[in-house]
Amino acid sequence: MAGQRNPMIKLKNPFGVVQDFLAVCFYRYGLFLSRHPKIFSIAPLILTCILGLGVFNIRVEDDLRFLYSPTHSLSRFEYKIHQEFSGDSTNASYLSVTVEWRDRSSPNLLVPERAKMITDLNRYVLRNMTIDIGEETVNFGDKVCPGLPNCPLSNTIVEIFFDTFWSKKLREDPRIKIEYPTMNFFDNKFFLLTHLYGDRKKNIEILNIYNNL
């Protein structure tokens, strides 16, 4: 209809004050930049070179133990101690056999008869176990183990610990001391948690036997 007014209402931009302030700031920044071009040309290059020094501190981490375990977890602490004793710095492949006593009412493995069974099992693997490779059957201890690093010494810590634990003569020797989780044996120091898990040195309920692959 003629004479009808436009119902559109003109709204005022509530952010106009902020826009004006930013416009002034960027204008002054542009003036400063045009008057001091050398600073803005050289300073970024210097800063880039300084920050680029971090490339020399890059450490590649592909060990799942450190990628997925908490920073202060007990597993990290035990593994670092294991590295100090063994010098192990690579993720080698091992066959691990976990030994537990079936009767859970008496799970302790620190019994002479049970220890002998474990020792016999380890010696059987190193001396008599055979494996099939293709169409050939070979003795693990004669053909495979000698070519693997430290394989002939697999689980030596377990045998030394068992021999010492029940030997009164060895236990009285001042050069030998069992302080779980470590053991001093003459000039050697062993980390027992690599194999033995339990309540200090009186009760071992879980034992791991390792063999290189």
Side-chain angles (χ1 to χ4, degrees), residues 142-203:
D142 293 338
K143 300 295 184 180
V144 181
C145 190
L148 300 174
N150 302 320
C151 182
L153 299 177
S154 296
N155 307 302
T156 302
I157 294 176
V158 176
E159 295 196 20
I160 292 176
F161 173 78
F162 283 153
D163 291 341
T164 304
F165 190 82
W166 286 290
S167 173
K168 183 178 179 181
K169 180 179 179 181
L170 291 176
R171 293 295 294 271
E172 292 177 349
D173 192 314
R175 296 170 297 176
I176 300 176
K177 183 181 294 185
I178 299 177
E179 294 180 337
Y180 192 83
T182 62
M183 173 182 176
N184 293 318
F185 188 78
F186 297 101
D187 293 330
N188 301 294
K189 193 169 186 178
F190 303 133
F191 184 57
L192 299 178
L193 277 179
T194 303
H195 299 276
L196 309 171
Y197 303 89
D199 179 19
R200 299 299 176 182
K201 58 185 179 181
K202 298 179 181 179
N203 185 31

Side-chain angles (χ1 to χ4, degrees), residues 3-23:
Q4 185 177 5
R5 295 182 179 182
N6 191 341
M8 298 288 294
I9 300 176
K10 187 176 181 181
L11 298 177
K12 185 177 181 181
N13 186 353
F15 301 102
V17 177
V18 177
Q19 291 178 345
D20 293 342
F21 173 76
L22 292 176

